Amino acid sequence: MTRAEMRKAGQKGGDGGRRGAAAAAASGPGKKRFIDYPRWGKTGVRRWLPSWKQWLSAFLLFFATGVGLVFYLYQTTTVPQLKDLVKDQNTIYYWADGSEMTRKGETNRQIVELNDISPTLQNAVISAENETFRTDSGIDPKGMLRAVYNMAKGGQTQGASTITQQYVKNAYLSQEQTLSRKLREFFITLKLNQQKSKDDILKGYLNTSWFGRGANGAQAAAQAYYGVDAKDLNLCQSAMLAGLLKGATYFDPTNPANKPRAEDRWKWILDRMVITHNATPEERAKCTTFPDPIASKTSSNMNGEVSYLVDTVNKYIVTKDPSITPQLIDKGGLKVYTTFEKDKVDALKKAVDGVKAETLDPQKRPDNDKFIQFGSASIRPGDGAIVALYGGDGVENGHFDNNADASGVQVGSTFKPFVLATAMQVGVQTAKGDDGKPKRISADSRYLADDMSQIRKPDGSLVIGDDGKPYRQKNEDAGKRGYVSLRQAMQWSYNVPFVQLNQDVGGQNVADIAVQMGIRKDSLTDPKTPTFPLGTSTISPIRMATAYGTLAASGKEADPYSVTKVEVNGVERPGFKKPDFKQALEPAVADNVTDVLVNVAKNGTGSKSTALGRPVAGKTGTTDENKSAWWVGYTPQLVTSVGMWREDPSNHVRLSLNGTGGNKSVHGGDIPTEVFTRYMKDALANEKKMDFPSPTPIGSEVDSSGAPVSPTATATQTMIETPSAPATQPSNGGNQPQPGGGNQPQPPVPTQGGCVPGVDCPAPQPSQPTKTRPGPTSSCVVLLCPSPQPTTQPTDTTAPSKPGKPTPSSTSTGGAQSAG
């Protein structure tokens, strides 16, 4: 029988089928096959299970194929000469119009012999990176398998484990993390370890490693960090440089944030050198003080603001495409197209330099006008493109930190619009709408603004300060303001209303809205603290401009970006298209907050911005102890943040601005607003004037407990409430802002009885100059005056009409935070 006949016989049912198969087996296999599969003479599952001979044959076949493939790849792998790999290339940066901004490249490299590199550096590198270097085979199988596993999971691979593998990656391969590159690294490492001595490999590694500061190789690093040749490095300096190989971005002590990490790693390497017998305990004992490097030297094409623009761009590139490392950027071969507009960058620097020259005199006032810092960012709202930055005085003047991306500077009252936006979008927990949800409020809602008022939680209980007593919030100055609208509270930057409003809406809700608007979560302080709404968070100028840009774009948040295209060796990298925007706020909410901030710019603490001569909105900010001053403002086309602070560069301690420019204090409405106005005049010179969208009514009036009863404000009344020109201030009372002065425009003090300022009265005018904030006259526009109100403010015995609102009854004092 043929095999086909036997299969047919075996497929027949019952005993007959089995007898047929047995008969077929007895009659012989027929024509013999080269591979007996499916297996002859077997039934059921056993026909499809390979025999042990077949398993063994398959294993031997695959093993032989693998060995042959490895042998072939090993034989065909070539190791290029080092001199052919060291080619000077440039990374070129372009302005937004396509013209060249600057270039940087691998010009800071010099190949030296191993005997021209200090033995202490050689031993420090071996102790830190690969203590078995002298005896190992150059391969760490576990490390390579771990890297392949991580790639398979889609995670980041860990660095090569041996010096030989790191040398191969530095010199012969790209920095991309792919399986094919890891295979090439494996074979090149095997061949290199066979062809070259350990000294040759160590020489190649030390000449191709990146140490930061644009330094590739030990000689360049020794010059960049200590101004000496590599052969003259001592043990302490060598240990510091060896620590940079783990990642100069994180261990270069030039950056104050890196200093603790750098010192810890330096100590660890010195200890490892003793353990691995690469240094004696006596030699280690001499390194008691961390060897601080010399000031960084940069080429002239990085002077001015260019270095800060490049810094911003490089951070953005590395974040968007981790395969483009700082080392690869320094190595060169990239073309980077940015969003920066040269005319606007120049205009921003001109504005800062001009105001500094007119206001500051470090020679005359060394204790007040030294160490003054500015940071600024200008962004297209609704788009996110960063068109200009001011990062500092320039690296040529010893200023290396990028102030436009500064961290650690509190933003003060520029944070208050986030609280108002949250109240309009999320609502207050102290009042419920018909749907049972927190009631969304309008800018006409009135809150108590008396200095040193107690603050209550939504449930009516008192907020307790750190001293265990009921917390009292202070304003910028003392005084009884009574109940004012949130519009007026923003206009004069009262603290008390916004601290209470933050409690009513919930600090976490405010934090969430701020993040939606473009603030980084890690820059926010604890939202549960009472002073959270007063800007105790440390947010960079770039992110403050981003968040205010969300308001300017009617609620559309666009992440900031500085790069439009990146080419690596002529090939465009994906992932650099303009980020998509998201609707962070309802358009009506954003437009109503803008309307409130227009009033701040026109009639309040930001009135200097009216010199711009076009519609502008914004908010001032001044922090506790006057350690920073801000103005963040915008038009429909452009949003610009300006931060100002004082910092001693020797210890990075923030100092008070009191006395700066000869003024008692500095507010956001002074110097920062002046910088903004000068810059925006130039930046918008060729753009038409545009109005902000007309705000549609949002929310309803939800008054604080004890607020005088008044007719419900309408959208029309709100518009009439805002004066058409800045309120006249006294000329000789000490409160009129002067150019470069330390004071800001001051609000009126409400009188007893009559209409409620900021709600149903026109803008009050001062009756006479005074040394305190001026008080209004008793007159008001007849059509806007309500029926007569009680002639006195609520007294100490007035009980709250709603839970969760403060009454001015407690006499104990608590902690206070001032932010103007």
Side-chain angles (χ1 to χ4, degrees):
M1 297 177 64
T2 64
R3 287 184 178 272
E5 291 172 336
M6 285 190 290
R7 281 196 296 272
K8 290 180 180 179
Q11 291 170 357
K12 292 180 179 180
D15 293 339
R18 286 191 290 273
R19 286 194 300 270
S27 64
K31 186 178 181 181
K32 188 175 182 180
R33 294 182 299 172
F34 180 73
I35 299 177
D36 182 23
Y37 193 82
R39 296 168 63 189
W40 170 79
K42 304 296 182 181
T43 59
V45 176
R46 296 182 62 195
R47 295 188 64 243
W48 303 98
L49 290 176
S51 66
W52 68 269
K53 293 181 179 180
Q54 290 172 330
W55 279 114
L56 179 61
S57 299
F59 171 77
L60 292 175
L61 177 63
F62 281 111
F63 180 78
T65 302
V67 171
L69 180 61
V70 170
F71 180 78
Y72 172 78
L73 292 174
Y74 180 82
Q75 291 296 322
T76 55
T77 297
T78 57
V79 181
Q81 294 298 313
L82 180 62
K83 62 181 179 66
D84 297 329
L85 299 168
V86 183
K87 298 178 181 179
D88 289 340
Q89 298 186 77
N90 288 296
T91 290
I92 307 174
Y93 300 84
Y94 297 91
W95 295 105
D97 63 3
S99 60
E100 184 175 321
M101 177 199 303
T102 190
R103 59 176 63 201
K104 63 181 297 188
E106 196 176 271
T107 56
N108 190 15
R109 180 209 288 277
Q110 181 182 350
I111 301 296
V112 295
E113 296 300 322
L114 190 62
N115 56 14
D116 287 326
I117 299 175
S118 170
T120 59
L121 179 59
Q122 298 178 40
N123 291 331
V125 169
I126 291 173
S127 298
E129 298 293 308
N130 182 194
E131 62 185 70
T132 62
F133 167 72
R134 296 290 184 186
T135 57
D136 64 30
S137 62
I139 289 290
D140 178 13
K142 290 182 179 179
M144 295 200 70
L145 289 174
R146 184 171 59 248
V148 171
Y149 175 72
N150 287 339
M151 281 189 295
K153 293 195 303 180
Q156 292 292 314
T157 64
Q158 297 179 352
S161 299
T162 70
I163 285 178
T164 308
Q165 287 176 273
Q166 293 183 57
Y167 171 43
V168 169
K169 184 176 70 171
N170 291 344
Y172 303 109
L173 301 170
S174 68
Q175 299 296 314
E176 60 181 348
Q177 302 289 351
T178 62
L179 182 59
S180 61
R181 192 198 66 76
K182 297 300 292 185
L183 288 174
R184 289 182 61 208
E185 175 188 312
F186 177 80
F187 289 112
I188 293 177
T189 301
L190 286 177
K191 204 158 194 176
L192 196 69
N193 201 61
Q194 293 293 323
Q195 294 180 356
K196 294 184 178 292
S197 68
K198 290 291 186 178
D199 281 350
D200 285 339
I201 293 172
L202 185 60
K203 168 193 167 183
Y205 176 63
L206 291 175
N207 276 299
T208 58
S209 292
W210 182 69
F211 289 84
R213 286 197 180 186
N216 290 272
Q219 175 64 15
Q223 287 289 343
Y225 286 92
Y226 294 110
V228 300
D229 290 330
K231 64 181 179 181
D232 297 324
L233 291 166
N234 61 38
L235 175 65
C236 306
Q237 294 168 335
S238 296
M240 199 289 290
L241 291 179
L244 297 174
L245 295 174
K246 189 175 181 65
T249 304
Y250 302 102
F251 292 96
D252 181 352
T254 305
N255 184 339
N258 291 343
K259 188 73 177 290
R261 284 194 294 263
E263 291 189 5
D264 288 344
R265 182 154 178 81
W266 175 70
K267 294 174 183 176
W268 179 83
I269 290 174
L270 289 170
D271 293 340
R272 289 299 304 168
M273 292 183 72
V274 174
I275 294 172
T276 57
H277 306 292
N278 283 316
T280 66
E282 292 75 20
E283 291 171 331
R284 165 67 178 90
K286 294 178 181 179
C287 294
T288 57
T289 304
F290 182 78
D292 287 312
I294 61 176
S296 179
K297 299 177 182 178
T298 56
S299 57
S300 59
N301 64 345
M302 287 291 165
N303 288 348
E305 297 308 301
V306 171
S307 65
Y308 310 122
L309 303 180
V310 169
D311 172 75
T312 302
V313 164
N314 289 349
K315 288 179 180 177
Y316 183 80
I317 291 174
V318 171
T319 300
K320 296 291 287 185
D321 188 346
S323 69
I324 304 179
T325 62
Q327 180 180 0
L328 181 61
I329 294 172
D330 272 354
K331 188 175 182 180
L334 280 73
K335 289 185 177 181
V336 181
Y337 297 85
T338 77
T339 60
F340 300 122
E341 300 178 21
K342 187 177 188 305
D343 60 335
K344 290 181 174 57
V345 172
D346 292 342
L348 186 52
K349 179 174 173 54
K350 176 184 173 184
V352 175
D353 290 347
V355 171
K356 287 170 62 177
E358 296 172 17
T359 307
L360 307 180
D361 191 343
Q363 299 299 324
K364 182 179 178 180
R365 294 180 292 269
D367 294 334
N368 300 108
D369 289 5
K370 286 181 65 177
F371 312 139
I372 302 299
Q373 303 286 340
F374 287 86
S376 181
S378 191
I379 294 177
R380 297 275 185 197
D383 181 279
I386 307 173
V387 298
L389 293 176
Y390 182 86
D393 292 334
V395 292
E396 70 275 16
N397 295 314
H399 184 89
F400 301 100
D401 296 334
N402 183 358
N403 288 350
D405 196 28
S407 60
V409 181
Q410 294 183 344
V411 297
S413 292
T414 56
F415 197 85
K416 289 174 182 173
F418 306 145
V419 184
L420 180 59
T422 307
M424 289 181 171
Q425 178 141 325
V426 177
V428 292
Q429 302 173 46
T430 52
K432 302 293 184 180
D434 294 337
D435 57 0
K437 296 181 179 179
K439 201 167 187 178
R440 292 155 56 126
I441 71 174
S442 72
D444 298 314
S445 299
R446 294 173 296 168
Y447 270 66
L448 183 65
D450 287 350
D451 186 47
M452 298 303 291
S453 291
Q454 291 180 337
I455 305 300
R456 293 182 180 271
K457 299 177 182 179
D459 63 5
S461 62
L462 290 170
V463 173
I464 304 301
D466 294 336
D467 57 0
K469 300 178 181 179
Y471 177 80
R472 290 181 178 272
Q473 180 59 52
K474 73 185 301 291
N475 288 320
E476 174 73 10
D477 64 341
K480 299 295 183 180
R481 305 295 168 189
Y483 288 84
V484 301
S485 69
L486 292 174
R487 177 184 299 277
Q488 190 177 17
M490 189 76 76
Q491 176 181 347
W492 299 116
S493 202
Y494 295 139
N495 291 333
V496 173
F498 287 99
V499 171
Q500 184 60 62
L501 182 61
N502 181 74
Q503 290 290 327
D504 292 349
V505 300
Q508 187 58 56
N509 288 331
V510 174
D512 293 342
I513 288 292
V515 170
Q516 288 177 210
M517 293 174 66
I519 301 300
R520 295 179 63 90
K521 185 177 181 179
D522 56 11
S523 66
L524 296 176
T525 55
D526 185 358
K528 292 191 270 314
T529 58
T531 56
F532 177 67
L534 302 183
T536 54
S537 298
T538 55
I539 305 167
S540 71
I542 290 177
R543 285 293 171 172
M544 286 303 295
T546 299
Y548 273 59
T550 300
L551 298 173
S554 294
K556 297 183 181 70
E557 190 274 334
D559 283 344
Y561 69 101
S562 56
V563 177
T564 58
K565 183 170 71 171
V566 174
E567 294 180 359
V568 180
N569 296 322
V571 179
E572 183 175 350
R573 286 294 181 97
F576 289 96
K577 68 175 184 177
K578 180 174 70 175
D580 296 330
F581 71 83
K582 63 177 182 291
Q583 195 72 41
L585 296 176
E586 294 179 14
V589 170
D591 293 343
N592 272 272
V593 175
T594 291
D595 186 55
V596 171
L597 298 185
V598 167
N599 185 50
V600 172
K602 184 183 293 185
N603 308 302
T605 57
S607 60
K608 273 191 176 182
S609 64
T610 57
L612 183 58
R614 60 172 69 217
V616 60
K619 183 68 185 75
T620 54
T622 308
T623 59
D624 196 20
E625 299 180 15
N626 206 206
K627 288 188 176 180
S628 62
W630 287 77
W631 167 260
V632 187
Y634 55 95
T635 68
Q637 302 105 314
L638 204 59
V639 54
T640 302
S641 62
V642 181
M644 175 184 178
W645 61 93
R646 188 165 172 248
E647 179 179 331
D648 186 342
S650 64
N651 53 24
H652 295 281
V653 172
R654 302 239 154 76
L655 307 171
S656 175
L657 290 170
N658 290 338
T660 299
N663 299 293
K664 184 178 179 181
S665 61
V666 176
H667 295 85
D670 300 324
I671 297 175
T673 305
E674 179 67 21
V675 170
F676 166 88
T677 304
R678 293 190 184 192
Y679 161 68
M680 294 288 275
K681 278 185 178 179
D682 287 342
L684 299 174
N686 298 321
E687 298 193 34
K688 66 179 182 179
K689 296 181 181 180
M690 293 180 62
D691 290 321
F692 291 106
S694 297
T696 56
I698 187 76
S700 58
E701 181 181 327
V702 180
D703 293 340
S704 177
S705 301
V709 178
S710 71
T712 303
T714 64
T716 303
Q717 289 173 325
T718 300
M719 298 300 291
I720 297 175
E721 169 198 298
T722 303
S724 59
T728 303
Q729 300 295 334
S731 60
N732 60 355
N735 291 319
Q736 173 72 7
Q738 301 295 333
N743 295 314
Q744 59 181 339
Q746 302 297 317
V749 179
T751 60
Q752 299 293 327
C755 48
V756 179
V759 177
D760 47 12
C761 276
Q765 302 296 325
S767 58
Q768 60 182 1
T770 173
K771 291 184 179 181
T772 59
R773 300 196 180 203
T777 64
S778 59
S779 63
C780 61
V781 178
V782 175
L783 294 177
L784 294 179
C785 284
S787 350
Q789 300 295 325
T791 58
T792 59
Q793 295 292 334
T795 65
D796 290 351
T797 58
T798 301
S801 59
K802 300 176 185 178
K805 300 297 182 180
T807 60
S809 58
S810 176
T811 57
S812 61
T813 58
Q817 166 78 21
S818 174

